[in-house]
Amino acid sequence: MDVTQTKTVTVGDINIGGSNPVAFITGPCQLESLDHARMMAEKIAEACAPTGTQFIFKASYDKANRSSISTKRGLGMEEGLKILGQIKEEFGVPILTDVHDAAQCAPAAEVCDILQIPAFLCRQTDLLLAAGKTGAAINVKKGQFLAPWDMGNVAEKIASTGNERIMLCDRGTSFGYNTLVSDFRGLPTMAATGYPTVFDATHSVQQPGGQGTTSGGQREFAPVLARAACAVGVSALFIETHEDPDNAPSDGPNMIPVDQMADLIKRLRDFDALAKGL
């Protein structure tokens, strides 16, 4: 199974899939404010500039599956979409955000180029159908509890709406309690559906609920897994980043410090070029 033999999903000026260069989906886990989102977009753009890399800006207006009732969920959909719309306009970049129920899909798609289905919700038929009907590109994260070949059924639900702008994303598989493991056989297995595959390097090093009321993580391994995914020939990489991960409101232990992104992007592009013969 050749990971590069997939459909191409075009988002803005970025072609994802086939033998195209690896695409980068990156940004902070949770939206914090317009000023913070603008600052992060500027820093990511600076990190991408030396290699001429385009990026898709991601951030979540609501983290609906937090470990504890006391942890911050985000700004909410109305304010969050307003901020994401401003980032899209100011920086000319495609936008990705999560949707959590069917009612969120249409308004989110008015602003965002890619709707992301969280891993825990990847089998929710009504959500998948509502997302597909918007015509936006859909990035579905494989549930930690699913086998990679099960994602064919997930993709089929979305495609039944007539929307085949589908990407399938691996973010690790449950391995005992509070632990995930990445099985890189899953990337070509999911690519056999014909849809581009995405590897979420930062959530794959998460330790779900590993700190009691919050999730832990081992961010030092995220670049290692990202290089492995590029060696397989993955279509896109999902890498969350922050200027101060240890004090971020969500998933700080997994995120890459933004001042390390330029070197990481260059290295990953080199791995990708070698794997794809670019």
Side-chain angles (χ1 to χ4, degrees):
M1 287 175 277
D2 186 345
V3 173
T4 64
Q5 299 300 307
T6 68
K7 305 175 192 291
T8 297
V9 174
T10 300
V11 181
D13 295 330
I14 302 174
N15 294 318
I16 304 170
S19 58
N20 289 294
V22 64
F24 285 86
I25 301 168
T26 184
C29 182
Q30 185 181 125
L31 273 175
E32 298 176 36
S33 67
L34 174 59
D35 287 344
H36 184 263
R38 185 181 284 133
M39 178 271 291
M40 287 301 305
E42 287 175 351
K43 288 184 178 293
I44 293 167
E46 290 169 3
C48 290
T51 51
T53 299
Q54 296 175 295
F55 69 96
I56 297 155
F57 184 81
K58 75 78 45 187
S60 300
Y61 54 77
D62 180 20
K63 303 302 293 183
N65 60 347
R66 299 308 305 272
S67 298
S68 167
I69 191 66
S70 63
T71 47
K72 296 179 181 178
R73 285 183 53 165
L75 300 177
M77 185 169 68
E78 184 176 355
E79 184 179 356
L81 289 178
K82 199 174 297 183
I83 290 171
L84 291 172
Q86 289 187 249
I87 297 300
K88 180 176 181 176
E89 182 177 349
E90 291 179 24
F91 291 88
V93 294
I95 300 292
L96 175 149
T97 199
D98 299 284
V99 289
H100 301 93
D101 63 54
Q104 294 180 358
C105 294
E110 291 180 10
V111 174
C112 302
D113 303 271
I114 305 175
L115 302 184
Q116 182 163 274
I117 309 297
F120 289 132
L121 301 177
C122 70
R123 290 180 55 170
Q124 296 297 103
T125 302
D126 290 343
L127 176 59
L128 295 171
L129 296 179
K133 288 174 182 176
T134 66
I138 312 298
N139 185 41
V140 191
K141 291 196 175 184
K142 181 183 78 64
Q144 302 92 323
F145 46 87
L146 281 185
W149 47 85
D150 293 331
M151 290 298 284
N153 293 325
V154 173
E156 186 178 6
K157 291 181 181 181
I158 300 170
S160 74
T161 68
N163 183 354
E164 294 197 344
R165 303 179 67 213
I166 300 166
M167 299 179 289
L168 304 178
C169 181
D170 191 285
R171 50 123 328 139
T173 301
S174 295
F175 187 72
Y177 298 123
N178 304 126
T179 306
L180 299 171
V181 65
S182 292
D183 179 359
F184 288 97
R185 297 174 299 179
L187 296 175
T189 300
M190 291 196 300
T193 62
Y195 298 109
T197 55
V198 182
F199 182 71
D200 180 348
T202 40
H203 285 99
S204 290
V205 299
Q206 187 185 62
Q207 295 168 317
Q211 295 181 351
T213 58
T214 60
S215 291
Q218 296 175 297
R219 76 170 67 98
E220 67 271 21
F221 292 118
V224 178
L225 298 183
R227 291 197 299 270
C230 283
V232 175
V234 74
S235 297
L237 287 169
F238 181 106
I239 301 176
E240 290 186 334
T241 185
H242 196 275
E243 85 285 1
D244 184 14
D246 290 334
N247 290 297
S250 175
D251 273 340
N254 315 315
M255 287 195 282
I256 302 296
V258 73
D259 61 6
Q260 297 177 16
M261 285 294 287
D263 288 341
L264 180 58
I265 288 168
K266 181 182 184 305
R267 178 167 291 195
L268 294 173
R269 283 183 61 110
D270 289 343
F271 271 83
D272 178 65
L274 182 62
K276 294 175 181 171
L278 301 176

